[in-house]
Amino acid sequence: MVDFLSIGECMVEFAREPDGRYGRRFGGDTLNTAVYAARSGVSAGYAMALGTDPYSDSIRALCRAEHVDDGTILTVKGRMPGLYLIETDDHGERSFFYWRDRAPARELFELPGHARVTSAMAAARIVYFSGITLSLYSAAGLDTFHDALVAARAGGTRIAFDGNYRPSGWGGEAANARPVFARFLKLVDIALPSFDDEVALWGDSDQQDTLKRLAGHGIGEIALKNGPAGALIGDAAGSRAVPVPEWIEPIDTTAAGDSFGGAYLAARLKGDAPEVAALAGHRMAAHVIRHRGAIVPRA
C-alpha cells in the first residue's frame, strides 16, 4: 500500500522535437503527478488499465523505474493504451491531439478486479485525480468511482483534485463538464486548480472568485496555480500569495502543473505547511519546464 495513489490514464506521447521529428515518450497528467510525488520522496502508486502490448509493457516499466507502484494497474487482454501528440509553439505553450477512445483506462471502474483499486484508495493517505480522469469514465464508472472516494474519505483518506479542464474530453462543451465537476468537488479536501482552466470552465473573473467558489464546495485547502505569477493559497487562515522564486523562460510547459502538484502533495504528506509545499511545487515545475516532454530525465 502507498501513501499517495493517483488515478487516471497514461498514454503514448509523441512530441515534436526542434528538428521537426516526433520523439516518443509516455505521459498523462495523473501519472506525471505520481512520478513527481515519488521523486519528492513519498511512496506513490498509480491506478489505471492497460493492455498486453509492448507499449503497455513500457508504461509499466516506466512506473517501476520511477518507483511508482503498479499493483493497481489492471490488464485487459488485446487492448492498447491511448496516444497523443504535442505541438509546442515558440513560447513553450502546447496543444494536444488525442487518439484514446478504445483505451482500457476508460473502463477502470467497470473491469473485473477494480476492487483492488478501491481497496488501495481506502488504504492511501491521499488519493489524487483530475478533471481529465473524470472525462474518461462512463456514467456507471463515475458512480463506482464516486462511491469509492466517499468510502475512502470516510476512512480518513484525503482527496486531492486538479481541475485540468480540457474541452476535447467533454465534446468541446463546458456545460457537459460542469455538473460532473460539481458532483466530485464536494468530495475534495485539497484542490490544485490552474486559474486559466477555471476561467475556461467556470468564467471566474479573478483568483479570489475562484477561491470563493471552490471554498463554497467545502474544500478546505486550495493551491491555485497561475503560471509565472505564482500560486495563491486559500484555506481557513485566509489567502496568501506564494510567488515563484525566479522567472524561467520555458522550453516546454508540458507537465508544469502536474509536477507542481506532485511536489506540493508530497510536501503536505511530510507535514510541510501549504506555503512551503507551494515553494516545493514551484521549484519542481521550474525544473520540468526547462526540458521537453512530460517526464523529464531524473538527472
Side-chain angles (χ1 to χ4, degrees), residues 9 44 82 110 120 150 194 202 272 275:
E9 178 183 24
E110 299 174 83
V150 170
S194 294
W202 301 102
D272 291 336
E275 293 91 338

Side-chain angles (χ1 to χ4, degrees), residues 1 41 46 48 59 76-77 85-86 89-90 96 123 155 167 189 199 203 207 216 230 281 295:
M1 296 302 173
Y46 195 57
M48 67 169 294
I59 292 171
V76 181
K77 187 176 181 180
L85 301 185
I86 303 175
D89 66 20
D90 293 339
F96 296 86
D189 299 293
V199 172
Q207 294 183 75
I295 299 175

Side-chain angles (χ1 to χ4, degrees), residues 47-268:
M48 67 169 294
L50 288 168
T52 50
D53 59 286
Y55 301 105
S56 294
D57 292 343
S58 293
I59 292 171
R60 293 185 181 90
L62 170 64
C63 288
R64 292 191 292 270
E66 291 290 348
H67 307 291
V68 173
D69 188 274
D70 64 351
T72 47
I73 296 180
L74 306 186
T75 300
V76 181
K77 187 176 181 180
R79 299 281 286 278
M80 297 177 65
L83 177 148
Y84 69 104
L85 301 185
I86 303 175
E87 299 285 355
T88 307
D89 66 20
D90 293 339
H91 303 288
E93 293 299 328
R94 68 271 192 249
S95 300
F96 296 86
F97 303 88
Y98 297 97
W99 291 262
R100 68 200 304 192
D101 290 349
R102 284 279 296 156
R106 304 181 73 89
E107 300 163 17
L108 176 64
F109 288 98
E110 299 174 83
L111 293 172
H114 76 265
R116 191 193 321 163
V117 177
T118 58
S119 295
M121 290 169 64
R125 292 171 61 195
I126 287 181
V127 167
Y128 171 84
F129 67 103
S130 75
I132 295 176
T133 308
L134 296 179
S135 74
L136 297 173
Y137 306 139
S138 68
L142 285 171
D143 286 346
T144 302
F145 182 40
H146 183 276
D147 291 347
L149 289 170
V150 170
R153 196 173 187 230
T157 299
R158 287 184 290 173
I159 310 301
F161 176 71
D162 184 341
N164 261 7
Y165 170 63
R166 301 292 180 266
S168 61
W170 302 94
E173 297 291 338
N176 294 333
R178 288 187 196 116
V180 179
F181 274 57
R183 179 188 184 194
F184 282 82
L185 283 169
K186 294 181 176 68
L187 305 179
V188 172
D189 299 293
I190 304 172
L192 297 160
S194 294
F195 182 57
D196 55 352
D197 289 343
E198 300 301 291
V199 172
L201 180 57
W202 301 102
D204 295 346
S205 58
D206 57 39
Q207 294 183 75
Q208 290 295 333
D209 193 17
T210 299
L211 293 183
K212 181 178 179 181
R213 178 178 50 75
L214 291 172
H217 288 284
I219 301 172
E221 179 178 335
I222 304 160
L224 178 60
K225 300 166 290 184
N226 196 16
L232 189 65
I233 302 297
D235 57 20
S239 64
R240 55 264 188 215
V242 183
V244 296
E246 63 175 316
W247 186 82
I248 302 294
E249 178 70 41
I251 293 173
D252 182 359
T253 59
T254 302
D258 306 333
S259 58
F260 176 98
Y264 181 96
L265 292 169
R268 294 293 285 132

